[in-house]
Amino acid sequence: MKEYIKARGRLPAGGAAFLFFLLFYFGYLCGVPQADLVYFEVLCAIGAAILLWADVRAFRKRRKEEETRRQQEEAWENGLEEIKREQREAQDYLTRWIHEVKVPLAALKLQTERCPDREMGGQMKDSIEKISGLLRTMLLYSKTGQMENDVEFEKVFLKEAAKEAVKNHSWFLIREHFQIKMEDLGECAVYTDRRWLVYILDQILGNAVKYCRDNPEIVFGAEQVSPQRVRFWIEDNGTGVAQEELPWIFDRGYTGGQSREGDYRSTGMGLYLAARAARRLGIRLEALSEEGKWTRIVLTFEQNITEMLDGM
C-alpha cells in the first residue's frame, strides 16, 4: 500500500478534495436538506471506495507484471551473457588448440620432406597441406562472428593479396600444374583488412583447385570503375557452374551438381565463408559462370576513397 500511496497519492487526495467541494457546494451554497446531503455523502463514499479498490488492484497487477517482466529480462540478459562467455572460452580454446596442433604438424612436414619414397612423401605432403588449410580456415572462421573486434582497415595492394593467397595454395596449384596470371593489377589498391581479404581469396582458390580440368588456369584481374569503386575478380577455366545453381552457391551447405556427381564431395562451406566475411567488410561478392568452361568470382569494393588511399 505504501508503494501505491507513493505512486498514486495524488489521486485519492484529489478525489477527497473534489468530494469536499461537492458537499460545500450543495450543502452550503445550494441549501440541500441535511438528510439528502447525508445520503449523497454515503453514495459518494461508496463510489470512491469502489474506485479506489479497483485502482489499487489494477496498480498491484501492473506492478506484478512489471516485476515479472523485469525478472525475465534479467534472466535473459544473464543467460545471454553466459552464452557469450562460453563462446569466448570456446573460441579461446579453439585458437590455442589450432596453434598447438601447428607445432607437430610442422615437425611432420619436415619428416615428410626427408621421406625417401617420393610417392609416399607426396601423398603425405598432400594430406599435411590439406590439414594446414583446414586449420587456417577454422582459425579465421571462429572469428567471423566477432569480426568487428578483429578487423584493421588499411591500404592493401590487390597484387600482394593475390600472391599471398596463391602461396597458401602453392602445393596444390603446383601439383595440378596451374598457370597463374595477374592482369591489370599493377598498383591497384583497396581500403580493407588484408588478412580477411586473403581469407576470402583462399576460399575461392580452394574451389578452383577442387573443380579444375586439364591445363588449369587462374586469372586475377581488377579495374577502377570509379574513384570510389574497384572491381577485383578471380577467374578459372574449371568445370563451371550451371546457371540455375549460380544464385545459391554462396548459401551455407550448398554443394551443387558438380560436387554431387564428381569425385570430390564438397561441404558447401568455402564460398559461404567467403561471402560471410565479405559482407562484414562491405565487399559485394557475385559469381559468373558458363558450365563446362569457366567461373569468375567478382569482389566489388564500394566507397573505396582514392584520396584516403593516397594519403596512407
Side-chain angles (χ1 to χ4, degrees), residues 30-56:
C30 297
V32 175
Q34 188 68 26
D36 293 339
L37 191 60
V38 171
Y39 179 72
F40 177 72
E41 289 177 354
V42 171
L43 291 179
C44 287
I46 294 174
I50 294 174
L51 292 175
L52 181 62
W53 173 79
D55 191 56
V56 170

Side-chain angles (χ1 to χ4, degrees), residues 20-32:
F20 177 79
F21 169 76
L22 290 178
L23 293 175
F24 176 78
Y25 178 79
F26 288 110
Y28 295 96
L29 297 181
C30 297
V32 175

Side-chain angles (χ1 to χ4, degrees), residues 212-226:
C212 68
R213 300 183 301 165
D214 294 336
N215 302 316
E217 180 181 87
I218 292 178
V219 180
F220 293 89
E223 63 175 334
Q224 186 86 37
V225 181
S226 71

Side-chain angles (χ1 to χ4, degrees), residues 233-256:
W233 65 83
I234 305 94
E235 183 175 316
D236 66 71
N237 62 344
T239 56
V241 182
Q243 290 299 310
E244 62 271 16
E245 294 180 356
L246 274 177
W248 317 107
I249 65 173
F250 295 114
D251 289 356
R252 182 175 185 173
Y254 187 78
T255 56

Side-chain angles (χ1 to χ4, degrees), residues 119-187:
E119 183 177 354
M120 180 178 293
Q123 293 175 354
M124 293 173 63
K125 183 73 179 294
D126 187 77
S127 298
I128 290 172
E129 290 297 330
K130 285 181 179 178
I131 294 172
S132 297
L134 290 171
L135 288 175
R136 187 167 56 250
T137 297
M138 181 57 68
L139 179 61
L140 288 177
Y141 173 68
S142 67
K143 298 180 180 180
T144 53
Q146 298 177 329
M147 278 183 62
E148 63 276 6
N149 301 322
D150 193 50
V151 172
E152 182 179 350
F153 284 89
E154 58 181 329
K155 183 178 182 179
V156 179
F157 289 97
L158 294 178
K159 192 171 185 178
E160 294 179 0
K163 285 183 176 179
E164 186 173 345
V166 168
K167 183 180 178 181
N168 291 339
H169 291 271
S170 58
W171 167 258
F172 302 105
L173 295 173
I174 293 172
R175 186 193 64 181
E176 301 295 337
H177 307 291
F178 268 86
Q179 294 293 321
I180 306 297
K181 296 182 181 180
M182 297 193 182
E183 300 178 349
D184 303 323
L185 293 185
E187 297 299 311

Side-chain angles (χ1 to χ4, degrees), residues 53-220:
W53 173 79
D55 191 56
V56 170
R57 185 175 180 183
F59 176 81
R60 288 177 174 175
K61 183 180 180 180
R62 285 195 302 271
R63 277 301 176 92
K64 187 176 180 180
E65 291 175 350
E66 290 174 0
E67 181 65 21
T68 302
R69 185 166 56 251
R70 185 184 63 80
Q71 291 176 355
Q72 290 175 343
E73 289 175 354
E74 287 181 357
W76 182 81
E77 290 176 358
N78 292 336
L80 182 61
E81 187 60 34
E82 180 66 18
I83 292 173
K84 289 181 178 179
R85 184 186 63 79
E86 291 177 356
Q87 288 179 337
R88 287 193 296 267
E89 290 179 356
Q91 180 177 329
D92 292 341
Y93 172 77
L94 180 60
T95 302
R96 289 195 302 270
W97 181 85
I98 290 174
H99 286 297
E100 288 175 2
V101 169
K102 285 182 178 181
V103 177
L105 194 62
L108 185 60
K109 187 175 182 180
L110 289 175
Q111 294 174 8
T112 301
E113 293 174 354
R114 298 172 185 171
C115 180
D117 189 328
R118 283 192 172 184
E119 183 177 354
M120 180 178 293
Q123 293 175 354
M124 293 173 63
K125 183 73 179 294
D126 187 77
S127 298
I128 290 172
E129 290 297 330
K130 285 181 179 178
I131 294 172
S132 297
L134 290 171
L135 288 175
R136 187 167 56 250
T137 297
M138 181 57 68
L139 179 61
L140 288 177
Y141 173 68
S142 67
K143 298 180 180 180
T144 53
Q146 298 177 329
M147 278 183 62
E148 63 276 6
N149 301 322
D150 193 50
V151 172
E152 182 179 350
F153 284 89
E154 58 181 329
K155 183 178 182 179
V156 179
F157 289 97
L158 294 178
K159 192 171 185 178
E160 294 179 0
K163 285 183 176 179
E164 186 173 345
V166 168
K167 183 180 178 181
N168 291 339
H169 291 271
S170 58
W171 167 258
F172 302 105
L173 295 173
I174 293 172
R175 186 193 64 181
E176 301 295 337
H177 307 291
F178 268 86
Q179 294 293 321
I180 306 297
K181 296 182 181 180
M182 297 193 182
E183 300 178 349
D184 303 323
L185 293 185
E187 297 299 311
C188 189
V190 295
Y191 187 65
T192 188
D193 184 282
R194 181 193 59 79
R195 184 176 50 165
W196 284 106
L197 175 58
V198 172
Y199 171 77
I200 294 171
L201 298 181
D202 275 347
Q203 305 307 315
I204 297 172
L205 286 180
N207 257 32
V209 171
K210 294 168 187 174
Y211 304 114
C212 68
R213 300 183 301 165
D214 294 336
N215 302 316
E217 180 181 87
I218 292 178
V219 180
F220 293 89

